[in-house]
Structures are given as C-alpha cells and as structure tokens.
Amino acid sequence: KPNWSALARVERGSVSFVFTHHNLNIFPFLERLRDLAARYGREWHPFMQWAYATAACSPDTRITWEDLPILESHLYELADMRLSGDSQAYSLFEGHLVPYKKEMAAKVEGVAMCDGRGVSVDLNGKIFSCHHAPTPANVIGDYRGGATSGIERIAVTNSRRFIDSKNCMGCRIRFYCRGGCHQSITHEIECGLNRIKADVFDYIIKKELENDK
C-alpha cells in the first residue's frame, strides 16, 4: 500500500489512476484523494492514464471494445465536472489538454510516439526498444555482448509500426497520438479510445472558449 504520510511531504506531484478493463470507475479514487486531503491538509492532484495492451500487460487488464462506451460516458461526465469548476476534474484533464493543444496546433507530420531515440536496458545488459514490453522478442541488442550495431535503425523501424499505415496517415488526430504505442496488440481499440479522448478534449476546449467570451 502507498505510504501516504511520506507522500504527503512531497512538495509537488500527482497521483495517477490507470483505467483498465476491471477498473473503469475513477470516482472511488477521487473520493480517496478527498479523504487524504482532509487528513493531511493538502491537495492531492489526480492524473489519469489508460493501460496499453502490450505483450507484458496482463490480458485481464486490457481495455475492450465493450469498455469504450463506458469510458466515453465517464470522460464526458468528468469533462462537465471540470467545466463546472471541480478542481479534481481540472487536474485530471490539464496534463492531457496542454500537449493535445500544442501537438494539434503544430501539426508535425511523421513523428512516432516513441521515435526510437529512447531505449531500455535491463541489469543484464539486454537492450529493448520499449520498457513496456521487456520480452525476448523485443531484444534489439546486448551491451555486455557488444551486440549494439544497428540499434537506432531497429528502434526507429519498430516505432513506425503503425504511424506509416494508411489509416494513421489519414486520421485527423495523428499529430496527437502519433501512431500510438507500437508495442500494442489491440491497436484498433486504442485508436478508438484516442478518438474518444480527442473528442472530449475538443468539447472542453470549445466550452471553455465559449465561457471566456
């Protein structure tokens, strides 16, 4: 269990909720943070994330097609809470809205989510193209064995698994999701989720602009 008393001494930070197939309801988490705020006399800033279905991800956590309508309704409910002035809902979205606005405005083509510039190394020197999937199939080199030739080329190639596809290149939010996770084994579901997220972000942006007038 988290050491909340120790975390309460951290000057700045956030606490993440991860949406998974068996954990689609964020409200108990938000209630827990309100209880902690009352106990420790400080605000706890929530952040939300979604489980990526990689080979290293437990199958029972993977978001399904049936989960998407539930998530969509949930996100719009949270969006309306933000628009009504709820501080927790404001925090939940702000870390997503800032990069969304920036990337959609910049419209930089062809940059993958993980563009191959970052790799992961385990304690045995094995080099992986993604820290989310440290499996034998994703080993691209070995520092201890000196097998590092072509690592950058392999990493870049792997990162472009989806972004160069016809569907991605024709998608309006390609500047935001940038092909998504190249290790995903449920890419189409994550595409659907990203489109939902983008629609919710656009809804918030539009409403906040209207409220500012």
Side-chain angles (χ1 to χ4, degrees), residues 77-87 89-90 208 211:
E77 185 175 1
L78 290 167
D80 285 333
M81 287 171 57
R82 173 186 166 110
L83 293 168
S84 68
D86 184 274
S87 62
Y90 182 89
E208 289 183 340
N211 292 339

Side-chain angles (χ1 to χ4, degrees), residues 4 11-12 25 30 54 56 82 85 107 111 147 166 181 184:
W4 294 111
E11 185 175 343
R12 297 185 64 183
N25 184 0
L30 297 179
T54 68
R82 173 186 166 110
K107 296 188 182 300
V111 179
K166 183 177 179 180
C181 174
S184 174

Side-chain angles (χ1 to χ4, degrees), residues 13 28 50 59 98 119-120 178 181 211:
W50 295 264
V98 171
V119 297
S120 298
R178 294 176 287 142
C181 174
N211 292 339

